[in-house]
Every structure is written in structure tokens, then in C-alpha cells.
Amino acid sequence: MKAVVLTGPNEFSTKEVEQPRVQADEMLLKMEKAAICGTDIRILEGTKTKGVRYPSVIGHEMSGTLVEVGEHVTGYEIGNRVSLGNVIPCGRCNNCLNDRENACLNRQAMGYEFDGGFAEYVRIPAACIRAGNVVKLPENVTFTAGSLIEPLACCVRGLHNAKVKFSDVVLVIGAGPIGLMHLQLSRLFGARKVIVSEPNAYRREKAVALGADRVVDPMTQNLEEIVRSETDGLGADAIIFAVGIASQVNAMLKLCKMGGTVSLFAGFAGKGECTIEANIIHYNEINVCGSTAAKRRDYLEAAELVKSGKINLDDIATHEYPLDDFRAAYETAKSGMGLKIIIKP
């Protein structure tokens, strides 16, 4: 079969490799669609190395068709259309026992400990099946949308952490795939107004199409003035910072309402160090939170939103490439020309 094999930082190519063999308690997935994530790019570049094996097949946003089901596996059959939650928690570490399985200290994950989705076939290990990470997809859900349930689940976790609630004004910084998911979820969480800041004109148009009340070009418009005018001078109840630019964090604090929340959702390069005015947090009682991965219940919630048609993920995918053209797909993803870049067999 064909697979994108990563042998070191910036060293990857599509190769012929042996098709995985599954045991009695495992399943084999024919990959239909897999999406490139920002984390995948950092892994390929070598700026993220924790938990990464060489050689390996990465890719953790995927969906496909079951073509082999081990004799000891129950509840699934050949031909099922499925998507995968990639994080497999241990269930016994301090974080798991305190309802933080998304940050499991002994976690395993598809695309890390187990070979991932940038391949024609993917072995689904017993641990993934036992944990309930394999979710069946109805016919009305495309494989593209199925592959994007995983990042949507991470956004569900992010909004839970930010405690977005009914009648909030939410400011989303960045209208990339993650920002557009946060936009749609904020609506479902009950936000009365969603403002999106994005310098890219195409992405601003996409934000409008997906329900933004106001879009702002921060390069030509005064974001702070607009946020104040849209909130009676109070600031946003919740700010979702979906771009990994640490130097802008302090500016976001100034746009937050007293008692509001700033969610540092995006990962930052290096240590993500920046200078902040601590008194803004102190005197305005601002809550600052982060978000990592997703809990299994977040994945199930995200899957139900997609199945019910409450969330549009297909419009967030803009390019498709075959495995043979993975390098071109990688360059497109890095360029920011599109939104979600999809890999197909």
C-alpha cells in the first residue's frame, strides 16, 4: 500500500509499504479522507518532536471504511463508515481521575504511538476500540466531514473551557479552519453576537457565510474600536484566540470584558513567551484559559453535531490531494491559501 513515511524533520515522502495486519481484537480501516492539521505541519517540520517516532506514518484526522474486523471485536462490521477520535487515555493517571483525560499523562494516540491516516490503510488497535474512539458515520455525513470531527471536538473542549454561554458576545481571532469551527459552535452555545477578526479577505467571506455577525480586517480597521462599539464599550465576554502569535496576547486582554474569558486556544511556536500587563487580568478579573486535545465525550458531542447537520464542516475543506501529491498538499497547507487540506487515497 501507499503511505507517507516520516523519517526525520522535513524528511517525508510517499512510499510503498506493507499493508498492516490486524489481530483478533483489532480492525483495518480503508482511509477515505484524512486532513492535514497545524500539528501535523509542526511534526513534519521537526518543530514538534514529543511523542513522534521515526520512521512513522502520522495524521490524526481521518475517516474511512472498515474492511477487516477481528473475530473478537463486537459492534462493528465490514463496510461500516467510521471516524476516529485519536486520543486514547489511560483512565488511571491523576489527570484522567480528575476529569482531564484530554491531558492524560500516559495517553496514546493515532498518528503518534500508532501509525496514522496518511496511508491507504490504517490499523485500528484494540486500545482505540475499547476506549470507544471508533464512531460510526451515517450516509448523510461525508468522509470529509468525518475526518474533521476530531478538530471540531478540540474546539468543543475549548468552548467548554472558555465557558461560553447564552447571550455572550464572542470575539474569534482568526478565521482559519479552527476559527470557523469556533464561530459555528459559539452560535450553538448561545452567543448573541460573534465577531471575527481575520486579515485574509477570502477567510472573512467564509466567516460571513458561516454566520459571523461582524467581520473585521485588523490590518485596515481598528479592532478595539469595533469591539467597543459592538459591546456598548464593555468588551467581549469571551475571546477565542485561534492564531499562534504570542505577541498579540496582551492586546486581546484589553478587548475582554471585566469578568470575561480569554481562551489561548492555538498552539504557539517555541515556548510561546510574551509580555503581558498583569494588572489587566488582576483588576478586570479576567479568566485566562488554555485548551488541549479533547475528551471522548467532546468527540461524541462533535460527532452528533455533524450527524444532525448543526455544523458545516464540508465548506471548511478547500483542497484535495492524492497521497502521491502529499508534498504539494503540505506546501498548500503551509501557505495558508486555503482552509482544510484533505488527503485522499
Side-chain angles (χ1 to χ4, degrees):
M1 71 168 190
K2 292 179 180 178
V4 178
V5 180
L6 174 67
T7 55
N10 288 306
E11 297 177 3
F12 56 90
S13 60
T14 304
K15 299 180 179 180
E16 285 288 339
V17 300
E18 185 177 353
Q19 182 173 309
R21 298 179 180 179
V22 300
Q23 303 298 316
D25 55 355
E26 299 177 332
M27 299 189 293
L28 186 66
L29 179 78
K30 178 182 180 294
M31 189 276 282
E32 302 287 357
K33 297 291 178 69
I36 298 179
C37 171
T39 301
D40 294 325
I41 292 176
R42 292 195 294 274
I43 291 171
L44 293 166
E45 290 177 331
T47 56
K48 176 178 171 56
T49 57
K50 183 179 179 181
V52 178
R53 297 173 293 113
Y54 300 119
S56 68
V57 178
I58 66 168
H60 58 274
E61 301 176 2
M62 71 190 93
S63 66
T65 306
L66 296 179
V67 293
E68 189 174 343
V69 177
E71 59 183 313
H72 294 166
V73 177
T74 59
Y76 300 93
E77 58 185 34
I78 292 173
N80 283 162
R81 307 166 78 254
V82 302
S83 61
L84 301 181
N86 73 308
V87 175
I88 306 166
C90 73
R92 60 183 181 274
C93 71
N94 183 73
N95 283 356
C96 283
L97 294 175
N98 285 280
D99 195 29
R100 297 190 66 243
E101 68 172 37
N102 54 307
C104 172
L105 298 173
N106 306 306
R107 75 169 215 168
Q108 294 178 295
M110 300 297 296
Y112 291 83
E113 286 77 15
F114 304 106
D115 280 345
F118 297 146
E120 290 184 291
Y121 294 92
V122 181
R123 178 177 69 92
I124 305 178
C128 186
I129 301 168
R130 285 196 303 269
N133 288 37
V134 185
V135 175
K136 295 178 185 177
L137 299 175
E139 291 294 332
N140 67 296
V141 176
T142 67
F143 284 116
T144 293
S147 70
L148 298 180
I149 292 174
E150 192 280 333
L152 180 66
C154 295
C155 295
V156 169
R157 172 51 28 208
L159 285 188
H160 280 313
N161 288 353
K163 296 180 172 56
V164 172
K165 57 189 182 300
F166 180 75
S167 199
D168 276 354
V169 175
V170 177
L171 170 62
V172 178
I173 306 298
I178 294 299
L180 294 173
M181 291 179 190
H182 274 114
L183 157 61
Q184 295 183 72
L185 286 170
S186 295
R187 282 293 192 198
L188 292 176
F189 271 57
R192 64 181 169 88
K193 185 179 296 184
V194 183
I195 305 167
V196 177
S197 174
E198 169 58 54
N200 181 290
Y202 170 75
R203 293 184 172 190
R204 289 197 303 275
E205 292 175 4
K206 187 69 73 170
V208 170
L210 291 174
D213 295 286
R214 182 77 184 265
V215 295
V216 181
D217 178 358
M219 306 304 291
T220 62
Q221 297 174 283
N222 189 313
L223 178 60
E224 182 172 2
E225 287 184 0
I226 291 171
V227 170
R228 297 296 175 193
S229 69
E230 294 285 346
T231 60
D232 296 322
L234 298 175
D237 296 281
I239 299 176
I240 309 299
F241 195 55
V243 295
I245 306 174
S247 61
Q248 293 185 9
V249 171
N250 198 58
M252 296 306 104
L253 295 174
K254 296 177 181 179
L255 299 178
C256 189
K257 182 179 180 180
M258 290 186 69
T261 299
V262 174
S263 170
L264 304 182
F265 186 86
F268 299 97
K271 295 181 179 179
E273 293 179 344
C274 65
T275 300
I276 64 171
E277 297 174 53
N279 276 338
I280 299 175
I281 299 172
H282 173 72
Y283 288 110
N284 290 345
E285 296 187 341
I286 292 173
N287 303 293
V288 179
C289 70
S291 187
T292 183
K295 300 177 183 180
R296 287 170 293 177
R297 67 171 177 262
D298 300 324
Y299 192 88
L300 296 177
E301 287 178 9
E304 289 304 319
L305 290 174
V306 174
K307 291 178 186 178
S308 64
K310 300 292 186 183
I311 292 286
N312 182 346
L313 296 181
D314 287 290
D315 280 0
I316 294 176
T318 56
H319 295 73
E320 280 194 0
Y321 291 86
L323 278 168
D324 284 334
D325 292 340
F326 185 84
R327 175 69 69 169
Y330 165 75
E331 295 296 342
T332 300
K334 284 182 63 178
S335 73
M337 289 189 298
L339 292 168
K340 267 296 183 181
I341 311 303
I342 303 295
I343 303 300
K344 58 184 179 180

